[in-house]
Amino acid sequence: MKKRLYLFMLCLGMLACEPKTNAPVDLVSEDKMTSVLLDIHLAEARIGRTIMQYDTSRMVFKNVQKDILKKHSLTDSSFRHSYDYYLQNPALLDKIYEKILDSLSLREAKLTPKPGQVVKEATPPVVPIPADSGKPAPVEVE
C-alpha cells in the first residue's frame, strides 16, 4: 500500500514539474521585444527622475507606454502575452536583457565626454502631461 502511494506521489510530482511554455500566437520577436523594453525602461527612468508624485508619474507612464507600443506597432495584449512567455523562459529573457545592457552601455559611451572634450549644454526634451492630470504645463526632462 505504501509503495503504491509513493509511486503515485512520484508520478504526480513528475507531472507537476513539467514546464508548459507554449509560445503565444502573437509572440513578439526577441529583437523587437528588446527595442520595446529598452524604450519602456528609458521612459520609466525619465519619468521617475522628473515627476515626484507617485500617482501622477504612474498615470504619465501608462500613457507613455501606450505611445511606445503604438510606435512599435504592438497591442497591449500581444506585449503582455510575449512578456509573460519570456518570463517563463529565463534563458530567452536573459538574452534580451543582455542586449538591452549592451545598448545602454553604447549610449553611455557616446554621451560620456572624452578627456579634453568641451561639453555643450543641451536643452532637455519635454515630456507631455496628459490634459486630465490637472497640471497645465509640460514637465522638462534633464
Side-chain angles (χ1 to χ4, degrees), residues 64-97:
V64 170
Q65 185 178 13
K66 285 179 189 176
D67 291 341
I68 291 169
L69 293 178
K70 194 181 297 182
K71 171 184 153 189
H72 291 280
S73 304
L74 291 176
T75 63
D76 186 51
S77 64
S78 67
F79 174 73
R80 296 277 175 211
H81 294 152
S82 299
Y83 191 70
D84 289 341
Y85 172 77
Y86 288 119
L87 282 176
Q88 293 173 358
N89 295 288
L92 294 175
L93 193 61
D94 281 346
K95 283 175 37 179
I96 289 172
Y97 274 100

Side-chain angles (χ1 to χ4, degrees), residues 2 12 20 41 64 69 79 104 131 137 139:
K2 285 186 178 181
L12 186 63
K20 296 179 182 177
H41 289 308
V64 170
L69 293 178
F79 174 73
L104 289 173
V139 175

